[in-house]
Amino acid sequence: MAKKFTDEEALLFHMHPRPGKFDIAASVPMATQRDLSLAYSPGVAVPCERIHADPGQAYDYTNKGNLVAVISNGTAVLGLGNLGALASKPVMEGKSVLFKRFADVNSIDIELDTEDPDAFCAAVKLMGPTFGGINLEDIKAPECFIIEQRLKEEMDIPVFHDDQHGTAVICAAGLINALHISGKKIEDVRIVLNGAGAAGIACLELLKAMGARHDNCIMCDTKGVIYQGRTEGMNQWKSAHAAATDSRTLAEAIDGADVFLGLSVKGAVTADMVRSMAKDAVIFAMANPDPEVTPEEVHAVREDVIVATGRSDYPNQVNNVLGFPYLFRGALDIHARAINDEMKIACAEALAALAREDVPDEVALAYGQNLKFGRDYIIPTPFDPRLIWRIPPAVARAGMDTGVARRPIVDMNAYEQALKARMDPTSSIIQSIFARARARQARMIFAEGDDIRVLKAAITYRREGLGEALVVGRESDIAAKLEAEGLREQMGAFEIVNAASTPHLDTYKAFLYERLQRRGYDRTDIHRLAARDRHVFASLMLAHGHGDAMVTGATRKSAHVLDLVGHVFDTRPEDGAVGITALIRNNRVVLIADTLVHEWPDEHDLANIAARGADVARALGLEPRVAFVSFSTFGYPVSERAAKMHLAPGVLDARGADFEYDGEMTVDVALNADAMKHYPFCRLTGPANVLVVPARHSASISVRLMAEMGGATVLGPILTGLRKPVQVATTGMGASEILNMAAIAACDMA
């Protein structure tokens, strides 16, 4: 599978804005002397005394209950082998941020510079008081078995080797559904596993705990079948799964098997092996980066086989990120002493059950396809937002039922609601946009090929599989800029277009003259615009179908760019154009409108802006609740300036708008549920997620203030209401933000 980034991009990602992948921030106020006195001496003495008297209160007064250590010695780093402790740190940092991203679990990476299991265990055990759980990572076999088992026996917090059990849990979830579709029972099927490493052994152990019979399971390694009596290449963990069988090779073992599980190497399974398997067979080819056999190779031989792999570009990806964040989330929330088999099985069953349910529209929209339970959808997708509030409760219940919970959850419904509130929507929204863009495969016009940020965005657009990239600029200039960045080999990543090379220039000029001849433009002006201005030229390309969407604005002020685009498209307020900016902070998404087009809208314009805002909210997977905001609330204090905000809801009433709206109201009433309670007649059923403001300047001030002082993530402005999808970036955007704007353009939210 081709890489979607260069080595240089990977290095820059890990270097900027600061080396590494995460910071540590205070969760309490630290502004005043009193704050500091409470955070440290003398105030810190009080919880210290309480914890000394009752160690269980460490979960109440410290971060222990939401802190996991990701620990490795670097002896089996990804597919790279024994790189040592220090070189494993980027991987461990990455694992830590995955914990935070998917389950809001705080995590610290720890790299231990030893290959001695005794020294490793001693170090980890001494750190037990600090953490609520231990995630072991990238430790070679057989030491990983020794280390995990010993730490589980000696520590009173969960110890979990994800390379083993994470894969096992997701594999089990997929197999539950694959057998459900094929009409088979786990206790009846013949299972063949190829790859007797840590993950393979854990998979077979978990499946046996779920009901698979020992005599129906055959494990193979590089020397063939692990059979009773074999002595070569054996250890105690392999011996536990030795089968009473006459089979000696993988080909012999797989003949007539119902299930094949691969955690080995590319090409281990041949077409003849696939043919020899039982009817409605299941193949989980999980070798990375290339599976033992590809879905195409399987289905070229027979169509009745359900196939899963470890790759994201095939259906049914066995991805550990579906498991470990939510297992630890559930375990931490009951202050668990361990993660046992019952909790792992509960996780697998919950994942399987989720895949069998109807997929919400916003999930299907995010992935740009119709996801429906069946042969190509037996495992949930990693970015399904339901995972956070469906999987941890199942894990927690199993922990409580098996007696490993120190503090059982009393109100499970309240717990599920608390889990829903944990997640930052930023990543899911951006993921949704990119998935939809990938499905649309839009030919994206990048108007400003003289800027290296734009060129990098165009390269990534193509590399990410979003579609073709068309860059407006001179080939020599583009080559020089890429050469200066060490990216000369990326010239082929996009098509270069300009007025000198296009055969359509005369057509473009005729079209433009027809539009502008009564606005004071003669043919000389038209030629200058069409042939020399990249924004106009790119707009003309889009208008004539020589591209599907366009992004511009990285090198010029937004208002000026909008005027230039307006030569080709109708971009004026009276034409229905509206700019909407998404602000994302503290697990909330709020859209501000109009941030780009309307200078001083009247009540009818405001109603139009509200309707556009509601459309964008729905496109982002939100149910729109629109508030017309002002300095007054429902008529008080009375002001001529607030009158139009008061009248705008009436305009929507007359139109029969199909979304929630009300106003005018102050921002605190719009966003704060407690403040809104003082106005029981308010028609909004919850805090607003679309704020329509009185004027463009107030919108701009609000967005910039939230970005600079409030730390909000800004997405947009999203330009809507044009005949074709055009997005206008801002001059301060980097390459990744320009790429985001291109993806938004590809989604066509107009």
Side-chain angles (χ1 to χ4, degrees):
M1 183 168 56
K3 288 200 302 184
K4 295 182 178 180
F5 50 83
T6 65
D7 289 354
E8 182 66 21
E9 286 172 322
L11 293 173
L12 288 173
F13 181 87
H14 284 78
M15 186 182 294
H16 298 291
R18 289 174 293 280
K21 290 193 280 286
F22 64 85
D23 294 325
I24 295 177
S27 59
V28 295
M30 298 288 287
T32 67
Q33 180 62 45
R34 182 177 184 275
D35 294 337
L36 297 177
S37 296
L38 287 168
Y40 197 56
S41 182
V44 74
V46 179
C48 289
E49 292 171 342
R50 295 292 177 90
I51 294 168
H52 178 70
D54 178 7
Q57 292 194 40
Y59 288 92
D60 298 318
Y61 300 121
T62 76
N63 63 7
K64 178 182 176 73
N66 194 43
L67 186 62
V68 168
V70 175
I71 307 180
S72 179
N73 62 2
T75 52
V77 180
L78 302 177
L80 304 174
N82 188 346
L83 299 184
L86 183 59
S88 75
K89 185 170 174 60
V91 180
M92 303 313 130
E93 287 185 3
K95 193 62 172 275
S96 292
V97 296
L98 290 179
F99 269 111
K100 189 66 176 178
R101 160 63 182 88
F102 287 97
D104 195 27
V105 172
N106 294 326
S107 179
I108 295 291
D109 63 295
I110 297 172
E111 294 73 35
L112 298 178
D113 191 12
T114 179
E115 295 187 22
D116 179 2
D118 291 335
F120 189 101
C121 289
V124 175
K125 182 180 177 182
L126 289 171
M127 292 185 286
T130 303
F131 300 100
I134 303 293
N135 182 100
L136 301 174
E137 196 79 16
D138 288 356
I139 304 168
K140 69 182 177 70
E143 288 86 346
C144 62
F145 302 116
I146 299 169
I147 288 170
E148 185 192 40
Q149 185 58 40
R150 182 169 158 187
L151 290 174
K152 287 169 71 173
E153 292 171 356
E154 296 181 355
M155 300 185 76
D156 64 349
I157 57 175
V159 177
F160 184 85
H161 186 205
D162 185 51
D163 300 307
Q164 296 181 57
H165 308 297
T167 301
V169 167
I170 313 309
C171 174
L175 188 58
I176 290 170
N177 281 338
L179 296 179
H180 177 87
I181 292 170
S182 61
K184 300 178 182 180
K185 296 181 179 180
I186 194 168
E187 59 266 27
D188 298 330
V189 295
R190 282 189 52 212
I191 301 172
V192 175
L193 168 75
N194 194 48
I201 290 173
C203 283
L204 213 52
E205 288 179 345
L206 187 61
L207 293 179
K208 288 179 179 179
M210 294 170 63
R213 296 176 181 171
H214 176 84
D215 293 339
N216 286 347
C217 299
I218 294 179
M219 178 182 290
C220 301
D221 61 10
T222 56
K223 300 183 184 304
V225 172
I226 296 172
Y227 57 90
Q228 291 181 2
R230 194 183 110 172
T231 58
E232 185 182 8
M234 295 295 288
N235 57 43
Q236 67 188 75
W237 298 279
K238 291 182 183 180
S239 296
H241 298 283
T245 177
D246 294 328
S247 297
R248 294 296 181 264
T249 67
L250 175 60
E252 293 172 359
I254 206 171
D255 188 5
D258 298 284
V259 177
F260 170 79
L261 305 177
L263 287 145
S264 52
V265 294
K266 174 184 178 181
V269 174
T270 66
D272 287 339
M273 292 181 190
V274 175
R275 289 190 188 95
S276 73
M277 294 183 71
K279 184 178 183 297
D280 293 321
V282 177
I283 294 177
F284 281 17
M286 297 175 283
N288 269 323
D290 297 303
E292 287 82 359
V293 60
T294 67
E296 295 96 334
E297 291 168 338
V298 172
H299 294 142
V301 175
R302 49 192 292 188
E303 289 294 330
D304 64 326
V305 180
I306 297 173
V307 185
T309 72
R311 284 181 30 174
S312 60
D313 54 342
Y314 288 126
N316 301 326
Q317 183 191 17
V318 179
N319 189 333
N320 285 23
V321 82
L322 289 165
F324 70 83
Y326 310 111
L327 271 164
F328 271 98
R329 178 76 275 156
L332 291 170
D333 291 338
I334 58 171
H335 303 176
R337 296 180 178 86
I339 293 175
N340 55 31
D341 279 350
E342 289 83 359
M343 295 163 78
K344 289 181 278 187
I345 292 170
C347 180
E349 290 176 341
L351 286 167
L354 187 62
R356 292 194 298 271
E357 294 182 9
D358 289 338
V359 178
D361 291 342
E362 63 268 25
V363 178
L365 191 67
Y367 281 85
Q369 56 183 299
N370 181 24
L371 298 174
K372 185 176 181 180
F373 178 65
R375 292 176 177 272
D376 288 336
Y377 180 67
I378 58 173
I379 306 171
T381 53
F383 289 92
D384 190 325
R386 298 173 296 173
L387 290 164
I388 182 61
W389 57 271
R390 292 294 299 275
I391 310 307
V395 173
R397 286 190 190 95
M400 292 187 290
D401 291 344
T402 53
V404 299
R406 288 187 179 87
R407 188 174 298 180
I409 295 169
V410 176
D411 187 341
M412 196 59 71
N413 289 331
Y415 176 52
E416 291 179 4
Q417 293 302 314
L419 289 171
K420 288 181 182 180
R422 274 189 176 274
M423 296 314 299
D424 182 350
T426 307
S427 297
S428 60
I429 286 177
I430 293 175
Q431 172 72 15
S432 169
I433 290 169
F434 272 74
R436 291 164 59 195
R438 191 170 290 111
R440 291 181 66 89
Q441 288 294 300
R443 295 170 298 158
M444 184 60 54
I445 303 168
F446 292 85
E448 299 156 306
D450 60 339
D451 190 286
I452 190 60
R453 297 168 299 159
V454 175
L455 296 177
K456 288 180 177 179
I459 291 167
T460 309
Y461 184 87
R462 174 66 180 274
R463 191 185 293 143
E464 287 287 332
L466 303 179
E468 295 180 26
L470 310 174
V471 174
V472 178
R474 295 186 182 92
E475 184 170 350
S476 58
D477 292 345
I478 291 171
K481 291 188 181 300
L482 292 177
E483 183 77 39
E485 293 287 322
L487 297 172
R488 184 66 174 80
E489 73 280 2
Q490 298 297 326
M491 278 288 286
F494 47 74
E495 179 183 346
I496 298 173
V497 188
N498 53 54
S501 65
T502 182
H504 306 295
L505 185 58
D506 288 341
T507 302
Y508 293 169
K509 291 194 294 185
F511 171 86
L512 196 59
Y513 185 66
E514 182 69 23
R515 273 184 62 87
L516 302 181
Q517 60 187 341
R518 293 183 179 274
R519 300 186 198 174
Y521 290 85
D522 60 23
R523 292 190 181 276
T524 301
D525 299 326
I526 295 300
H527 176 79
R528 187 179 297 112
L529 283 172
R532 300 180 186 175
D533 190 286
R534 58 203 168 195
H535 309 285
V536 176
F537 179 81
S539 300
L540 288 165
M541 285 180 62
L542 181 61
H544 287 80
H546 301 143
D548 300 316
M550 166 182 154
V551 62
T552 185
T555 62
R556 305 284 290 273
K557 296 295 184 182
S558 299
H560 182 63
V561 171
L562 202 59
D563 287 340
L564 292 170
V565 174
H567 291 319
V568 180
F569 296 104
D570 297 330
T571 61
R572 298 169 301 177
E574 55 267 35
D575 299 320
V578 175
I580 297 159
T581 299
L583 296 177
I584 309 170
R585 186 176 184 275
N586 290 344
N587 301 341
R588 295 180 67 175
V589 182
V590 176
L591 307 183
I592 309 290
D594 179 348
T595 55
L596 190 61
V597 181
H598 289 77
E599 181 68 32
W600 183 252
D602 62 21
E603 61 267 28
H604 300 283
D605 297 325
L606 291 167
N608 294 336
I609 293 168
R612 292 290 184 190
D615 290 341
V616 172
R618 286 173 173 148
L620 295 176
L622 307 172
E623 189 59 39
R625 291 188 296 273
V626 179
F628 294 91
V629 293
S630 180
F631 63 87
S632 61
T633 300
F634 297 116
Y636 185 83
V638 177
S639 169
E640 181 182 351
R641 288 273 175 173
K644 63 180 183 178
M645 309 306 291
H646 186 77
L647 296 172
V651 177
L652 290 177
D653 289 342
R655 295 180 184 179
D658 63 348
F659 54 86
E660 290 185 27
Y661 56 90
D662 209 348
E664 86 287 12
M665 64 184 77
T666 55
V667 169
D668 59 317
V669 173
L671 298 180
N672 188 310
D674 290 334
M676 190 177 288
K677 288 178 182 177
H678 294 294
Y679 305 91
F681 53 84
C682 180
R683 296 185 288 191
L684 299 182
T685 59
N689 50 27
V690 180
L691 302 183
V692 178
V693 298
R696 193 176 72 194
H697 66 269
S698 54
S700 177
I701 292 169
S702 300
V703 168
R704 292 170 188 261
L705 187 62
M706 282 299 299
E708 295 300 324
M709 296 294 293
T713 298
V714 178
L715 197 61
I718 300 169
L719 180 59
T720 68
L722 272 62
R723 184 167 59 88
K724 292 287 186 76
V726 176
Q727 292 303 328
V728 179
T730 60
T731 54
M733 286 184 174
S736 61
E737 293 165 305
I738 295 169
L739 178 65
N740 289 344
M741 296 303 291
I744 291 170
C747 292
D748 191 7
M749 295 185 182

